[in-house]
Amino acid sequence: MTTPSAHPGQQVFHEHRRLLFSVAYRLLGSAVDAEDAVQDAWIKWSAADRSQVADPKAYLTRIVSNLALERLRSNRHKRETYVGPWLPEPILTGGDASEAVTDAESVSMAMLVVLETLSPLERAVFVLKEVFDFSHAEIGEAVERSEAAVRQAAHRARAHVRARRPRFAADRSRQREATERFFAAATGGDVNALMELLSPDVTLWTDGGGKVRQALRPVVGAATVAGWFAAIGTVTYQGVDPADMKAELVEINGGPGLVFSAPGRVIATVTFDFDADGRIVTLHNVANPDKLQAVAEGTTYDVGTH
C-alpha cells in the first residue's frame, strides 16, 4: 500500500495496520478484500479530522469493521451463486499466530468456514468480542448498533460457533507430526499410511470455483479421501505431470498445511482440521487460482490479535 510519507497521520495508521488487516481478514475470509478494506480505511483516515480522535485504535477499528461489513453484505450474492463449495482465501502466516493457540484457531480455515454461516452482523460482533476482546459498547459504536443489540448478536453467534466448532486442546506438535506423515504418504502414494491418519468419517472440501476441475460436493470417508490424495503422485493434475509437481509443508492460517505448485504457479493448498486424538477430520483444498494469489506471492501475514 502506498501512502505519502509526509502525511501526519501515516505513522499512527502504520502502527495499527497489522491489527486492521487481522480484523478485516477474519471478517471477510479474503486477503484481497481485507487489503482493499485496509486501503479504504487509510483513505477515510487521511480525510478525517484527527484532532477530534481520542483513541485512534478504536477509531480505525470502527472504520475497517464498517468497510468490511459493507463488503461482506455485497459479497453475499456472489457466494450464493458460487460453483461448488466456497472456501476462504488461504494465507501464509507467521508471527503471533504461530505462537498463540487462540490466535491460530480464530484464523484457521475451519473457523473461517464456520464464521461464513453467521450473518454479517453476528460475524463482526463475534470477531470483535471473542477474538479481539472489544467491549459490547465499543462494538456497538463500530457496527452502529445499540449495546443491547450487540449483546444479543454476540450470544447468538457464540452459541452457533460452539455448536459447530467444539473446543478441545490443540496439541500443535501432534498436528505438525500428522501433517508431515500425511505429506510423506500423499507424495509417496501410500494409501494405507493415509488411512491411518484419517478419521473414518473424514470430509474433504474442495474449492475450484468453476475455474479448475474439483469435486462439487464434499468427499466423505477415509478410503475415498485417501484414494484421492494417493493419486497425486500418479496422475496428471491441471495439466501438470506428477514429475513436475512440487509439494511443500508450510504454515497456512495458523496451522501446518501443504502448498502444491508447478513451474511458475501455485496449484492448490491443503489445510487440516484435527480431532482431540490428532486424527484428521476435515481437509480444505483450495484450487481456485483467484484465491491463491497471496500464497503465490509468498506474502507472510502476522494475524495476531494484539
Side-chain angles (χ1 to χ4, degrees), residues 181-182 185 190-200 202 221-227 279-280:
R181 286 171 61 202
F182 183 94
D190 190 337
V191 175
N192 292 333
L194 286 167
M195 292 276 287
E196 285 172 22
L197 296 164
L198 301 171
S199 167
V202 63
T224 317
V225 172
R279 283 188 308 182
I280 297 165

Side-chain angles (χ1 to χ4, degrees), residues 180-226:
E180 286 170 352
R181 286 171 61 202
F182 183 94
F183 175 73
T187 50
D190 190 337
V191 175
N192 292 333
L194 286 167
M195 292 276 287
E196 285 172 22
L197 296 164
L198 301 171
S199 167
D201 55 355
V202 63
T203 304
L204 164 66
W205 296 87
T206 67
D207 178 345
K211 304 285 175 77
V212 296
R213 197 172 162 205
Q214 288 289 81
L216 295 179
R217 292 184 179 81
V219 179
V220 182
T224 317
V225 172

Side-chain angles (χ1 to χ4, degrees), residues 53-135:
V53 178
D55 183 350
K57 178 184 169 187
Y59 183 86
L60 285 165
T61 303
R62 184 160 73 240
I63 291 174
V64 88
S65 298
N66 260 314
L67 289 164
L69 262 176
E70 282 172 28
R71 206 171 274 265
L72 200 54
R73 290 183 180 119
S74 68
N75 283 349
R76 274 280 148 126
H77 175 66
K78 282 188 217 163
R79 293 184 188 178
E80 282 164 8
T81 57
Y82 196 78
V83 179
W86 185 95
L87 294 178
E89 181 186 355
I91 56 172
L92 303 173
T93 50
D96 293 350
S98 60
E99 292 150 27
V101 169
T102 50
D103 286 358
E105 163 62 14
S106 70
V107 82
S108 68
M109 294 291 276
M111 176 60 90
L112 292 175
V113 167
V114 172
L115 292 181
E116 192 63 25
T117 62
L118 297 173
S119 73
L121 177 66
E122 287 168 351
R123 183 170 186 165
V125 169
F126 181 86
V127 167
L128 292 173
K129 181 80 185 87
E130 300 296 317
V131 182
F132 293 94
D133 203 27
F134 283 92
S135 70

Side-chain angles (χ1 to χ4, degrees), residues 143-164:
V143 298
E144 298 171 349
R145 294 288 194 282
S146 70
E147 198 173 330
V150 166
R151 284 183 186 278
Q152 210 170 22
H155 178 74
R156 283 196 310 270
R158 202 160 43 239
H160 181 96
V161 171
R162 280 185 182 155
R164 288 159 180 76

